[in-house]
Each structure stands twice: as C-alpha cells, then as structure tokens.
Amino acid sequence: MDFKELIMGRYATKKFDGRKIDDETLDQILEMVRFSPSALNIQPWKIKVIADNDLKAKLSPASMDQAQIKTCSHLLVFCANTDLKGNAKKLVNGLNAAGIPQENVEQYQRVLDNFINIFASNELCEAQNNVFIAATTVLYAAKSVGVDSCPMQGFDPKAYMEILELPSNLIPTIIVPMGYPADEQMPKNRFPKEEIFF
Ligand SMILES: Cc1cc2nc3c(=O)[nH]c(=O)nc-3n(C[C@H](O)[C@H](O)[C@H](O)COP(=O)(O)O)c2cc1C
C-alpha cells in the first residue's frame, strides 16, 4: 500500500470485530511508533498497551461507553510524560554509554537544559504536543500492516489515571483502540483545499 492509499484508507473505526492482533504484527506496529519524531528527541511519552478484556471493560464507562473500547484487540493509552528532566538525563546517559564525544554530549545537554527551562511549568503542554505526533504515527503504522484504529479523546483522563494507577507525571492524552473492523468506512468529508491552504 503506498502512502496515499494509507491516508485515504485509514478511517476512524467505530467498532471492531474482537479478533486479536497477533504478537508479531503488534510488535511491528509498536516498533514503528517508537521511531516517532519529538522535539530534541525528548520522547515525552509512555504508552500503555492493554489487551485484557476485563481492564477494557473497566475503562469503558470512563470512555463514554464508546464501542471501540470493548471490541478492540488492543487499546493504546498515550500518556504525556511531564518528567522532561528525567528523559533528558536518560538521553545524555545513553549518549555517554554509546561513547559519543564528551564535547558533543555537553553541547546537546546545554540545548536540552535550555529547552527544559523554556517549558518549565508548561511541561504538560509540550509533552502533549509531542504525544499527538506519536499517536498519529500509530494510525498509519497500524494501517500499513492491515490493522484499523481510531484516535479518541472522548474519555476521562482522571478516571484513566485512577483505574490504571498511573503516577502523577503520566497524563493520558489520547487513546487509540486497534483491531479489525466491524463497520464500513464512510466517505471522507474534508474542507476544500482553498479553505485550508493560503
Ligand atoms: C483528537 C481526536 C479525538 C477524537 N476523538 C474521537 C472519539 O472520542 N470517538 C470517535 O469515535 N472518534 C474520535 N475521533 C475521530 C474523528 O471523529 C475522525 O478522525 C474524523 O471525523 C475524521 O474521520 P476519519 O478519521 O474517518 O477520516 C477523534 C479524532 C481526533 C483526531
């Protein structure tokens, strides 16, 4: 499938047929998501992968009982990780361990410090901006291996935090159920290009 076919063929699936995505296909999708771009490569996300039906049933009322939650194969909960400092430290440690010249690591560290200062007290917004890019990646990564999905914000992040017992630095931002569809793709409805590009 070429990229245009992916763009036109992906759609917000409203109901899945309950079939399971096999482990190999799931791994392929998650591996593509891992390579999503982020500002300064800070990767401010943690993604909870849920296959358990009981847990999905618990999350359903916190998701406006939308049919995708209980019928999907896997539910991905994209959390913004506000601990930008923690990620910066991990990145620098990784570069040191890889033997990158000290001068280059220090330069990167300075840029990271500056970035973290700029977003001090606004970490959530910055983390969420990046999370949306990772969530976009999964929609097309999944479609490329024959799996459908739906980006969803119709859920209660606080309830998700409680049910999933998430630490306070992980904020559920967007959820993406994935699986095999039990609905039909509707015709696409978009503004004409004259209204978008100027
Ligand atoms: C940020 C975001 C939140 C969304 N939330 C929901 C949702 O809670 N439930 C749902 O069924 N679809 C949801 N959608 C899907 C949109 O309704 C859908 O993408 C849009 O109508 C365009 O249709 P298409 O994706 O099939 O082309 C969401 C999409 C985005 C990008």
Side-chain angles (χ1 to χ4, degrees), residues 31-49:
E31 191 58 359
M32 287 190 260
V33 173
R34 195 165 72 84
F35 284 91
S36 298
S38 61
L40 285 180
N41 202 23
I42 195 89
Q43 304 162 68
W45 47 61
K46 287 270 192 184
I47 302 160
K48 178 86 177 161
V49 182

Side-chain angles (χ1 to χ4, degrees), residues 16 19-35 47-52 56 72-78 137-149 176-180:
F16 298 92
R19 265 185 299 151
K20 283 286 172 201
I21 302 168
D22 65 62
D23 289 348
E24 194 188 331
T25 305
L26 181 68
D27 280 353
Q28 279 180 298
I29 297 169
L30 300 184
E31 191 58 359
M32 287 190 260
V33 173
R34 195 165 72 84
F35 284 91
I47 302 160
K48 178 86 177 161
V49 182
I50 300 172
D52 181 68
K56 284 189 255 158
C72 70
S73 165
H74 289 76
L75 178 65
L76 303 187
V77 181
F78 283 78
T137 303
V138 82
L139 307 179
Y140 296 104
K143 191 72 190 170
S144 77
V145 292
V147 172
D148 284 281
S149 65
V176 179
M178 302 190 301
Y180 300 98

